[in-house]
Amino acid sequence: MITKESIETAYSFIHQKLRIYKYSTLDWQKDDIEYAIDSFVETMNPDLYAILSNGNTGYLRDHKRFLNDMTEAAEKLENMLFNVTN
């Protein structure tokens, strides 16, 4: 079961990290964000992760696709929040 709170938490965390990651020029900062997101994914509501990832176990965990995945996840979560509140 996916709660509104789990969507809000995921959106807030991913959106915040995305804003920093996107404009950072520091490799160590980007690495820290990738680690933080990976750790967050470990504790994320599994049903929510399944919807976001579409079954891709590397979603939000693949360095090469990380920025694209985070951008996509933030958009999906924002849409989910909009649909839950309306």
Side-chain angles (χ1 to χ4, degrees), residues 11-21 33:
Y11 175 75
S12 296
F13 190 72
I14 290 172
H15 183 264
Q16 176 202 36
K17 299 301 181 195
L18 173 60
R19 300 291 297 167
I20 298 166
Y21 189 91
I33 292 170

Side-chain angles (χ1 to χ4, degrees), residues 2-78:
I2 301 171
T3 64
K4 179 182 176 187
E5 290 77 24
S6 67
I7 298 169
E8 288 172 340
T9 300
Y11 175 75
S12 296
F13 190 72
I14 290 172
H15 183 264
Q16 176 202 36
K17 299 301 181 195
L18 173 60
R19 300 291 297 167
I20 298 166
Y21 189 91
K22 198 175 195 179
Y23 299 106
S24 178
T25 58
L26 305 171
D27 288 338
W28 65 265
Q29 188 175 42
K30 288 183 174 187
D31 289 343
D32 284 355
I33 292 170
E34 289 185 36
Y35 178 78
I37 294 291
D38 185 59
S39 296
F40 179 77
V41 165
E42 289 293 321
T43 63
M44 182 187 284
N45 177 307
D47 295 330
L48 180 56
Y49 182 73
I51 288 172
L52 293 175
S53 68
N54 289 323
N56 176 2
T57 57
Y59 192 74
L60 294 170
R61 297 177 165 178
D62 180 351
H63 176 72
K64 293 175 187 169
R65 290 207 28 88
F66 188 73
L67 180 58
N68 290 334
D69 287 354
M70 265 207 319
T71 302
E72 179 183 88
E75 290 172 2
K76 285 182 179 179
L77 289 162
E78 185 175 355

